[in-house]
Amino acid sequence: FLVGRQKKKMKSIVCVLMLALIIGAVTATDFRFALEIQAKCSQVGDNATCTGTGQSQDLSVRIGNDGAVDFEVKEAQGGKCTWRDTVDASGKETGTVSFGPSHGFKYEITKTTEDAKAEMGVSLGNITGGTGTFQGAIGFISYTCDSNKSLLVSKCIMSVIANKGG
């Protein structure tokens, strides 16, 4: 049972996941996944930073014939990933997602300062490279966070679509 704002957030999450699946079906990709991240954000001066972790997990989305959406995250055996995202005073947003000590990728999002502050917790960016399994990765990352005005964030849903590159 979801109410008002929760329904809107759930629909946003489902749209991001559906977009990831559609794009992935149209193009050959090496990496397609979504991950729930438990995160916290803070702001020091004009810079905002979010950090978090995501446990190995099984995500499922069920859409009923009546349009009702059921979204479930179940913890699975395996390791964790770490996420770090920073928005500087100019509005440039950069981040990294790491899977263990030698696998991961980085991304970049450029916005105006006002846009970056207003949209902290909702972003679409370009993956600009990686290490290990993600060496040479190019693609897109999006995330939507359930945040409040104090920038304390409880959960983020991250979607990734990328190729290993050339």
Side-chain angles (χ1 to χ4, degrees):
F1 176 70
L2 301 173
V3 183
R5 186 173 169 210
Q6 291 174 325
K7 281 185 180 180
K8 188 174 181 180
K9 285 183 182 183
M10 190 59 68
K11 286 181 182 179
S12 296
I13 291 168
V14 170
C15 287
V16 168
L17 292 172
M18 294 299 282
L19 177 62
L21 291 173
I22 290 168
I23 291 172
V26 172
T27 61
T29 57
D30 297 306
F31 309 108
R32 280 185 303 230
F33 60 87
L35 190 63
E36 182 180 81
I37 304 286
Q38 301 292 325
K40 289 191 176 187
C41 297
S42 62
Q43 186 158 356
V44 177
D46 289 334
N47 298 320
T49 301
C50 291
T51 58
T53 60
Q55 175 68 39
S56 293
Q57 56 199 237
D58 292 320
L59 297 173
S60 64
V61 177
R62 286 182 271 332
I63 303 170
N65 292 333
D66 62 354
V69 178
D70 182 24
F71 179 76
E72 184 177 30
V73 179
K74 290 183 182 177
E75 191 172 306
Q77 289 185 352
K80 293 183 178 184
C81 82
T82 58
W83 173 58
R84 181 176 177 82
D85 184 88
T86 302
V87 179
D88 68 18
S90 71
K92 183 176 180 182
E93 183 173 348
T94 57
T96 58
V97 180
S98 302
F99 301 86
S102 57
H103 301 279
F105 60 87
K106 57 187 178 176
Y107 61 91
E108 186 174 293
I109 301 162
T110 304
K111 305 176 186 178
T112 66
T113 305
E114 291 76 26
D115 288 344
K117 288 179 182 175
E119 295 178 14
M120 185 67 174
V122 179
S123 290
L124 173 64
N126 295 312
I127 294 173
T128 58
T131 59
T133 302
F134 297 94
Q135 183 70 39
I138 54 172
F140 301 99
I141 180 172
S142 66
Y143 67 83
T144 302
C145 297
D146 177 13
S147 61
N148 58 33
K149 295 203 186 261
S150 68
L151 291 179
L152 295 177
V153 175
S154 56
K155 294 179 184 176
C156 299
I157 298 292
M158 174 187 307
S159 297
V160 174
I161 301 171
N163 292 310
K164 290 184 180 177

